[in-house]
Amino acid sequence: MSQKVTLVLGGTGKTGRRVAERLQERGVAVRIGARSASPSFDWTDEATWAPVLENVDRIYVCYQPDLAVPGSVETIRKFSNLAVGAGIRRLVLLSGRGEDEAEAAERALQASGADWTIIRGSWFFENFNEGFLAEGVSSGSVFLPVDTVTEPFVSCDDIADVAVEALLDDDHVGKVYSLTGPRLMTFAEAVAEIAAAAKRPISYQAIPVADFAAQLQADGVPDDYVELIRYLFTSVLDGRNSSVTSDVERVLGRRPRDFATYARETAATGVWSIAA
């Protein structure tokens, strides 16, 4: 029989790409679960699920676009049951910190009978250069519907490092890890640190959520994504996540990456430079 493989769902995304790279560096056979992969995987098409499970022994489960969207809980339930029914026991789920809907999805996965680990991530550093905030940072003006609330921004590299340990070391079975960076920051403070690292002015302005949603709609953003963003900024960013944890250090034996390091290293790539 050929070597068992580890399936990385969302394997072309922010965390999945990093998880796949780290596993491959350790000599682990990896299958990418994505629409662009072969075989293709699509959360919205159940016919694509079984083919990617062949000869798999463990899975990194990253749901797109977010576990907060309607239908995610039932989707996670169906997929987890299918995976366990196929003989796959080890499931590591990337969840959202402070999201009630995400916790319901966690319970659905746990009920499958899998040997599970839950990783709850805070707001990613990389949303500022790989996500929807990148354009605003590059243009020099960031507008968001959040003012003084603090967030313990976390690096996708730290999330990936923890996920790999959870996939490969059974000591993490049955554990829930809440991953944060080492300090709390407002979004304005984060943007200011990016501006200092990029050595250029980048402004931050808090605006009403209705205005923000209207601008997204005017830019052609799909309604379901607009509603997801509205939820994240009105519910999750209400102060419930304004605390740091020691879980990164608990798993990895080192402190989590600091935002200033991320800002400095990312600025050096030129991604935030003013376009010519």
Side-chain angles (χ1 to χ4, degrees):
M1 181 180 292
S2 60
Q3 179 185 5
K4 290 284 188 178
V5 301
T6 297
L7 174 62
V8 179
L9 299 180
T12 59
K14 297 183 192 70
T15 64
R17 171 170 53 83
R18 290 170 167 84
V19 169
E21 290 171 352
R22 284 158 171 74
L23 289 170
Q24 290 165 338
E25 288 169 0
R26 294 200 188 190
V28 176
V30 171
R31 176 176 299 145
I32 300 298
R35 291 175 182 171
S36 59
S38 181
S40 177
F41 176 84
D42 186 343
W43 280 113
T44 66
D45 183 0
E46 293 184 35
T48 68
W49 297 1
V52 301
L53 297 179
E54 184 178 350
N55 206 36
V56 166
D57 66 346
R58 50 196 66 211
I59 308 174
Y60 175 67
V61 182
C62 179
Y63 181 83
Q64 297 294 328
D66 192 276
L67 289 173
V69 304
S72 64
V73 175
E74 185 59 26
T75 299
I76 290 295
R77 177 179 290 108
K78 288 181 179 180
F79 179 83
S80 302
N81 288 338
L82 181 67
V84 172
I88 303 165
R89 300 288 305 177
R90 195 75 185 91
L91 302 181
V92 175
L93 174 68
L94 177 63
S95 186
R97 188 170 185 246
E99 295 182 22
D100 295 337
E101 293 84 352
E103 292 184 16
E106 293 172 13
R107 292 191 292 272
L109 182 140
Q110 291 165 336
S112 69
D115 296 331
W116 54 266
T117 303
I118 306 297
I119 296 173
R120 297 173 178 166
S122 301
W123 194 280
F124 301 164
F125 291 175
E126 289 76 10
N127 284 325
F128 290 99
N129 70 299
E130 297 179 24
F132 76 103
L133 296 177
E135 183 176 351
V137 174
S138 296
S139 70
S141 299
V142 177
F143 301 88
L144 287 174
V146 58
D147 193 356
T148 59
V149 172
T150 56
E151 173 72 12
F153 298 95
V154 68
S155 168
C156 285
D157 289 314
D158 286 341
I159 291 174
D161 285 343
V162 170
V164 168
E165 292 302 319
L167 285 164
L168 300 182
D169 187 341
D170 289 344
D171 285 347
H172 302 290
V173 170
K175 303 291 180 60
V176 177
Y177 297 121
S178 183
L179 305 187
T180 74
R183 58 190 170 113
L184 293 169
M185 305 171 65
T186 65
F187 278 78
E189 290 168 341
V191 170
E193 290 204 15
I194 289 172
K199 297 181 172 60
R200 52 175 292 240
I202 305 172
S203 65
Y204 179 84
Q205 182 178 344
I207 63 173
V209 67
D211 294 348
F212 185 66
Q215 183 59 58
L216 291 177
Q217 290 171 325
D219 291 340
V221 176
D223 288 344
D224 57 348
Y225 189 75
V226 172
E227 288 308 308
L228 170 61
I229 294 298
R230 187 197 299 272
Y231 163 76
L232 292 174
F233 279 100
T234 57
S235 298
V236 178
L237 284 168
D238 62 358
R240 70 182 68 183
N241 289 333
S242 293
S243 62
V244 298
T245 75
S246 59
D247 283 358
V248 169
E249 188 166 7
R250 176 182 168 194
V251 176
L252 302 178
R254 62 165 177 78
R255 284 178 58 77
R257 243 179 139 222
D258 189 74
F259 191 88
T261 302
Y262 154 78
R264 183 175 62 253
E265 292 178 353
T266 304
T269 69
V271 68
W272 294 320
S273 299
I274 299 174

